[in-house]
Amino acid sequence: PVVTIVNPDEAWAIFQVREDLLQKVQKGARLDVQIPALDNGDFVFVVTHISVMGSFATWRSTSSTEGYDLRTFEVEARPEMPVENLRPGMTAVLKL
C-alpha cells in the first residue's frame, strides 16, 4: 500500500483461541488482557466477534483414538476504555 490510515481510537486485538477454551470466551464477555509494551498493564477488553479459522489452522490433534482435531477460533476484542499509548502492532496477551 502507498498509504496506511490508522485511527488509534478504533483499537482492537485479535486472539486465536483453541475450541476447548472457547467456553470462557463468549461474545460480550469481558477479558483480562496484558500488554507488555505498556509495563505489562492489565486492561479489560470486550469480545465483539468470534469466527472459526480455516481448516489449515487446526491447533493440535487429539489422541489418535478420539478421532478429531481441535479447531482454532479467531476472537476479536476491543478495549472497554481507551488505552493510552496503545499502538498498532503491540502484543496483547489474553489471560484465561
Side-chain angles (χ1 to χ4, degrees), residues 33-67:
V33 174
Q34 194 173 45
I35 301 176
L38 301 178
D39 294 326
N40 283 324
D42 289 335
F43 302 93
V44 176
F45 280 56
V46 178
V47 176
T48 56
H49 181 75
I50 300 174
S51 64
V52 68
M53 295 182 71
S55 59
F56 59 87
T58 299
W59 186 285
R60 68 177 176 152
S61 297
T62 58
S63 67
S64 59
T65 59
E66 292 185 38

Side-chain angles (χ1 to χ4, degrees), residues 61-79:
S61 297
T62 58
S63 67
S64 59
T65 59
E66 292 185 38
Y68 66 94
D69 295 332
L70 293 175
R71 302 281 306 270
T72 301
F73 286 75
E74 182 176 88
V75 176
E76 179 184 291
R78 295 179 182 267

